[in-house]
Amino acid sequence: MKLPAFKSLAIVSAILLSTSACAQPTPTNSSSQNLQTASKVITSVSSTVDAHLRKVLTEVGIKTQIVAITPSKLPNMYQIDLVGQPPLHLTADGKYVIQGELQKNPSKRLVNTIPVRSNSTQTGKPISAATKNSMLANMSALKNMSAKTPFFYTAVPGVIWGATLEGVPFLISDDGQYVTDGEISVIDKGQFTGLDDNFEKLKNQSVFSSLDQAQLITYPATSAEKAVIYVATDVNCPYCRLLHKQMQSLNKKGVTVKTIGYPIYEQSPNQMRGIWCQADDSSRRLALDKAMLTGKMTPAPASCSTDYVSPNREKAAGLAVIATPAIYRDDGVLFQASFESPEFLEFLGVD
């Protein structure tokens, strides 16, 4: 097995500093029973767990020497130190794995109680208000963290997935003490199967359900509806404009398109506010069509001082968009190829 490439970005530094996102215009199961019920920090490694984790790593092709297996600072995980590589963090059953160095949160710890931990039915759902409040209380030095920061339960109780409002994802312990820019991947039947797609789907569904549907510019299917997609778009993104040219064709094929205003270019927030400020759904669609198809922007009426774009844009940070247009089916699956390829219609389930 080839280990996933380790990102060199220091996530704590990224969170400490104010950043601005700029997407590139090119192509981003439940736990076992012992994980579901776990509520205590692991303090030792039994010989049984040690042997099992070594066996799992051998089966997936890890030949690098294992220096040590110790309790991880991430709840319900064990740290495997490897010669010359970043450590791995595995659950006791060997199913969920994270690769990456953990960084200590420099904030003063104000809340010492361990939050009530999630079970498998909560995977991909937003964390509770109580857990979020206690985490934020312990993250005061991380300037980009706020009540708007999206946090979701992962399949590993005590390990929380979060993203900055710029959409930079990270993992953090539910006490807010340790953070990494690694991702949770899955080992199944002796093979590394990639990121935890089940979590991604459920998380994205949670994001969609949180969006203000009235502030999505929706292009309904003009024939029997066969698919619904969400598209994070920017009016100045060249590839977003190319996709928009297919709008009528998609609608005729039975595809309803729900557009999330996702400005990434410097001039886009004000321009998109003008579009979203139009009086009704039809006027918004016409203004967006004009911007996408001709490059002409519609200014906001003098009577509109409201920013209708930012609230959904902030909620959509939970999608961790790495490029626009980001296209998702309503079941939460991200399309990861070119929308100009035949695979796009296959992805949508239309002819």
Side-chain angles (χ1 to χ4, degrees), residues 1-290:
M1 166 190 143
K2 182 179 179 181
L3 290 176
F6 175 62
K7 304 169 189 174
S8 61
L9 170 69
I11 189 66
V12 168
S13 296
I15 295 172
L16 278 169
L17 299 174
S18 178
T19 59
S20 59
C22 182
Q24 299 298 318
T26 56
T28 168
N29 325 350
S30 60
S31 306
S32 62
Q33 185 63 32
N34 66 313
L35 285 178
Q36 293 177 24
T37 58
S39 61
K40 296 181 179 179
V41 176
I42 299 171
T43 57
S44 62
V45 181
S46 70
S47 57
T48 301
V49 170
D50 183 285
H52 177 66
L53 295 183
R54 290 177 186 273
K55 179 182 177 182
V56 167
L57 295 176
T58 298
E59 288 176 345
V60 297
I62 298 292
K63 297 182 180 180
T64 306
Q65 180 183 349
I66 297 174
V67 177
I69 299 179
T70 57
S72 173
K73 298 295 186 181
L74 293 176
N76 297 308
M77 305 196 85
Y78 295 88
Q79 179 167 317
I80 291 81
D81 293 316
L82 304 170
V83 172
Q85 294 191 21
L88 301 177
H89 305 267
L90 269 71
T91 52
D93 58 3
K95 180 175 181 179
Y96 297 106
V97 57
I98 301 167
Q99 183 186 30
E101 301 283 356
L102 301 182
Q103 298 181 56
K104 180 70 171 68
N105 172 10
S107 309
K108 181 178 180 180
R109 185 170 184 175
L110 300 178
V111 178
N112 291 300
T113 56
I114 295 176
V116 175
R117 293 199 164 137
S118 60
N119 57 52
S120 60
T121 65
Q122 294 173 287
T123 301
K125 295 186 182 300
I127 65 175
S128 70
T131 297
K132 188 169 188 175
N133 289 339
S134 64
M135 287 180 62
L136 290 174
N138 288 339
M139 299 165 70
S140 59
L142 305 181
K143 303 304 182 185
N144 282 353
M145 296 294 100
S146 72
K148 294 180 179 180
T149 303
F151 292 103
F152 297 87
Y153 293 115
T154 70
V156 183
V159 178
I160 304 298
W161 184 98
T164 68
L165 292 183
E166 289 76 25
V168 178
F170 57 91
L171 297 171
I172 189 165
S173 56
D174 60 1
D175 58 7
Q177 296 305 292
Y178 292 91
V179 61
T180 179
D181 59 353
E183 297 273 8
I184 295 181
S185 299
V186 176
I187 294 174
D188 184 41
K189 297 178 181 178
Q191 293 189 356
F192 176 79
T193 61
L195 296 183
D196 186 356
D197 290 337
N198 184 58
F199 164 75
E200 289 293 329
K201 286 175 57 177
L202 295 173
K203 173 201 34 103
N204 293 342
Q205 290 174 28
S206 294
V207 173
F208 298 152
S209 66
S210 74
L211 297 175
D212 182 350
Q213 295 291 316
Q215 301 308 326
L216 301 175
I217 297 182
T218 300
Y219 293 80
T222 52
S223 62
E225 187 176 85
K226 297 178 181 178
V228 176
I229 60 174
Y230 289 81
V231 178
T233 196
D234 183 302
V235 292
N236 291 295
C237 162
Y239 285 84
C240 297
R241 292 181 176 183
L242 284 175
L243 175 63
H244 202 89
K245 290 180 179 180
Q246 298 186 22
M247 191 69 73
Q248 288 188 355
S249 175
L250 289 171
N251 293 158
K252 288 178 182 178
K253 292 178 183 293
V255 180
T256 291
V257 181
K258 297 188 175 186
T259 303
I260 306 168
Y262 203 92
I264 55 173
Y265 290 85
E266 183 178 359
Q267 68 271 37
S268 297
N270 187 57
Q271 293 173 338
M272 296 178 76
R273 189 185 75 82
I275 294 170
W276 262 255
C277 263
Q278 299 308 301
D280 52 40
D281 292 343
S282 178
S283 299
R284 287 180 174 185
R285 283 194 294 269
L286 288 173
L288 185 57
D289 289 343
K290 185 177 178 181

Side-chain angles (χ1 to χ4, degrees), residues 292-310:
M292 290 295 200
L293 302 178
T294 71
K296 296 180 180 179
M297 303 300 167
T298 303
S303 59
C304 180
S305 59
T306 304
D307 179 358
Y308 292 109
V309 177
S310 292

